Amino acid sequence: MMPYLAKILLYPVKSLNGVEVENARVLASGALQHDREFAIFDEQGKFVNGKRHAKIHLLRAQFALLNRTISLQIPGDDLQQIFHLDEERQALEATLSDFFKFAVTLGQCVSRTYVKYKFLYKYRGFETGKSRHQQLKIKFRVWC
């Protein structure tokens, strides 16, 4: 069986939930449009991610890519909060700062500072014969 692309996941805000899409535009930089366009940073300018702040895994986010909005579900809150990523960034930063209990900023990655692709391929085992179909995750990291 030939390898094929099983799905495309974009992560508009690094370390938050992804969005599965049918197709994606590849930019001149090689990045996928809307993927890791934003990242959350702490006061020292470091990424707020699961490696440094496990609490981020409690957040649930949904994105409307065309509208450029994020719907954020914070544990303990009954209602989702919706923010426009361009027009309501300060309000989103304040909400995230309250959640993390330290000041954060939402940086926009104009020059594609961080890009990570996850391609999921299905393939037939070669020599082992143990598995007819398996998923193989291939990760590429590109720093610009």
Side-chain angles (χ1 to χ4, degrees), residues 20 25 33 50 95 98 110 113 128 130 132 139 141:
E20 187 170 341
R25 181 172 172 238
Q33 185 177 23
T95 299
D98 288 344
V110 178
T113 305
T128 62
K130 291 181 182 177
R132 294 182 72 157
K139 298 177 183 177
R141 291 175 189 236

Side-chain angles (χ1 to χ4, degrees), residues 34-132:
H34 303 299
D35 190 53
R36 307 313 190 282
E37 183 179 352
F38 296 92
I40 304 167
F41 294 93
D42 65 15
E43 295 166 302
Q44 290 77 41
K46 294 183 180 178
F47 288 124
V48 175
N49 58 25
K51 293 176 187 173
R52 292 189 177 93
H53 304 283
K55 193 174 182 181
I56 199 166
H57 297 298
L58 301 175
L59 292 173
R60 293 293 169 256
Q62 294 178 326
F63 298 93
L65 295 177
L66 296 178
N67 295 336
R68 297 189 57 77
T69 59
I70 178 174
S71 300
L72 198 60
Q73 181 67 53
I74 296 178
D77 287 353
D78 293 333
L79 299 175
Q80 284 189 350
Q81 298 179 54
I82 301 172
F83 302 93
H84 191 278
L85 289 167
D86 301 314
E87 298 169 8
E88 298 175 305
R89 192 173 307 175
Q90 287 183 333
L92 175 56
E93 290 171 342
T95 299
L96 291 170
S97 295
D98 288 344
F99 172 73
F100 286 112
K101 306 290 188 228
F102 58 85
V104 301
T105 57
L106 186 69
Q108 187 171 8
C109 198
V110 178
S111 64
R112 308 309 303 167
T113 305
Y114 181 79
V115 179
K116 180 178 173 185
Y117 305 103
K118 273 191 181 177
F119 295 101
L120 299 177
Y121 290 96
K122 291 196 175 189
Y123 71 102
R124 187 179 299 266
F126 291 103
E127 298 173 2
T128 62
K130 291 181 182 177
S131 173
R132 294 182 72 157

